[in-house]
Amino acid sequence: RKEVEQDPGPFNVPEGATVAFNCTYSNSASQSFFWYRQDCRKEPKLLMSVYSSGNEDGRFTAQLNRASQYISLLIRDSKLSDSATYLCVVFNDYKLSFGAGTTVTVRA
Amino acid sequence: DGGITQSPKYLFRKEGQNVTLSCEQNLNHDAMYWYRQDPGQGLRLIYYSQIVNDFQKGDIAEGYSVSREKKESFPLTVTSAQKNPTAFYLCASSVAQAPNEKLFFGSGTQLSVL
């Protein structure tokens, strides 16, 4: 079983729509969680950390469910510039584990 | 401006050849990492270093080697023993290797086999 699993998508949504997707992780002792954004053939950049109580950053909301071992990302009022691959990242033991990413395409 | 610089952006390797990917950071970070990204897969850790003159193998170290002689530099050599080297290679750094530390990435090197 992979340490971090994501639905690859793609999620194809119109501008202004809401899109949400999850990521599951296998290690129940995982310590911290993140969403990174990666544009095509570029470096990943931190979008937001995910806290136990859930957190928002503008149009982005992240949730953590430790009991079911998943994190989620919701994007409200999607913009064309939100088109990217979103990587779920989990820290456990000594290292970060990356999911393969969920691709979101926002169309005009 | 502070950041991580990877070079070259594109690199081609012939059969039996060793090639070295450069990674330099001026963020004064202690921890540095090398990841490999293949299409449809997550980033996989090749090597990491928490301090100068020390480094550890990651999940897929076979066929690769690194050095950490200076804090700001962490070059990766892809040896001829790596039979499937074609991939996008990303170097990253963080203040320390700790649960809540943000990773800063370089812009990547695309390695292909001729």
Side-chain angles (χ1 to χ4, degrees), chain A residues 2-3 31-32 34 36 38 41-46 87 91 94-101, chain B residues 35 37 40-43 45 48 57 59 88 90 97-103 105-107 110:
Chain A
K2 291 183 180 178
E3 292 186 63
Q31 297 160 277
S32 53
F34 310 89
Y36 276 72
Q38 186 176 27
R41 296 324 246 173
K42 298 213 170 161
E43 72 273 25
K45 293 183 179 176
L46 179 66
L87 307 178
F91 187 100
Y94 63 94
K95 69 181 180 79
L96 290 168
S97 296
F98 286 76
Chain B
Y35 290 92
Q37 188 174 33
Q41 295 194 41
L43 276 67
L45 183 64
Y48 66 100
K57 293 181 180 180
D59 300 319
F88 188 52
L90 286 158
Q97 192 173 29
N100 290 314
E101 287 296 337
K102 174 183 174 181
L103 277 185
F105 284 90
S107 57
Q110 174 64 48

Side-chain angles (χ1 to χ4, degrees), chain B residues 16-36:
Chain B
Q17 187 182 38
N18 293 352
V19 293
T20 297
L21 285 60
S22 170
C23 178
E24 304 276 332
Q25 55 100 357
N26 60 4
L27 299 166
N28 200 32
H29 285 172
D30 283 318
M32 295 188 75
Y33 314 81
W34 274 105
Y35 290 92
R36 169 180 172 142

Side-chain angles (χ1 to χ4, degrees), chain A residues 44-90:
Chain A
K45 293 183 179 176
L46 179 66
L47 179 67
M48 57 197 302
S49 302
V50 186
Y51 303 121
S52 297
S53 55
N55 48 300
E56 273 190 29
D57 183 359
R59 297 180 293 106
F60 297 84
T61 300
Q63 297 278 355
L64 167 62
N65 185 318
R66 282 195 180 271
S68 300
Q69 294 182 211
Y70 73 87
I71 67 173
S72 64
L73 182 66
L74 182 146
I75 307 173
R76 285 187 302 278
D77 189 22
S78 299
K79 311 292 184 191
L80 294 175
S81 57
D82 294 333
S83 297
T85 297
Y86 293 85
L87 307 178
C88 172
V89 184
V90 175

Side-chain angles (χ1 to χ4, degrees), chain B:
Chain B
D1 286 334
I4 301 182
T5 302
Q6 282 188 245
S7 63
K9 191 171 178 67
Y10 300 96
L11 185 59
F12 297 91
R13 194 191 87 167
K14 295 179 182 178
E15 290 286 341
Q17 187 182 38
N18 293 352
V19 293
T20 297
L21 285 60
S22 170
C23 178
E24 304 276 332
Q25 55 100 357
N26 60 4
L27 299 166
N28 200 32
H29 285 172
D30 283 318
M32 295 188 75
Y33 314 81
W34 274 105
Y35 290 92
R36 169 180 172 142
Q37 188 174 33
D38 294 277
Q41 295 194 41
L43 276 67
R44 291 182 291 167
L45 183 64
I46 304 172
Y47 269 98
Y48 66 100
S49 169
Q50 298 181 73
I51 198 167
V52 174
N53 291 323
D54 187 52
F55 49 83
Q56 271 76 45
K57 293 181 180 180
D59 300 319
I60 54 164
E62 186 174 348
Y64 301 96
S65 65
V66 294
S67 63
R68 187 87 186 274
E69 297 175 2
K70 299 186 295 182
K71 186 175 186 177
E72 58 270 25
S73 179
F74 192 41
L76 173 74
T77 296
V78 184
T79 74
S80 57
Q82 172 49 247
K83 298 306 179 187
N84 185 23
T86 297
F88 188 52
Y89 290 85
L90 286 158
C91 178
S93 72
S94 61
V95 172
Q97 192 173 29
N100 290 314
E101 287 296 337
K102 174 183 174 181
L103 277 185
F104 293 78
F105 284 90
S107 57
T109 294
Q110 174 64 48
L111 175 61
S112 303
V113 177
L114 288 176

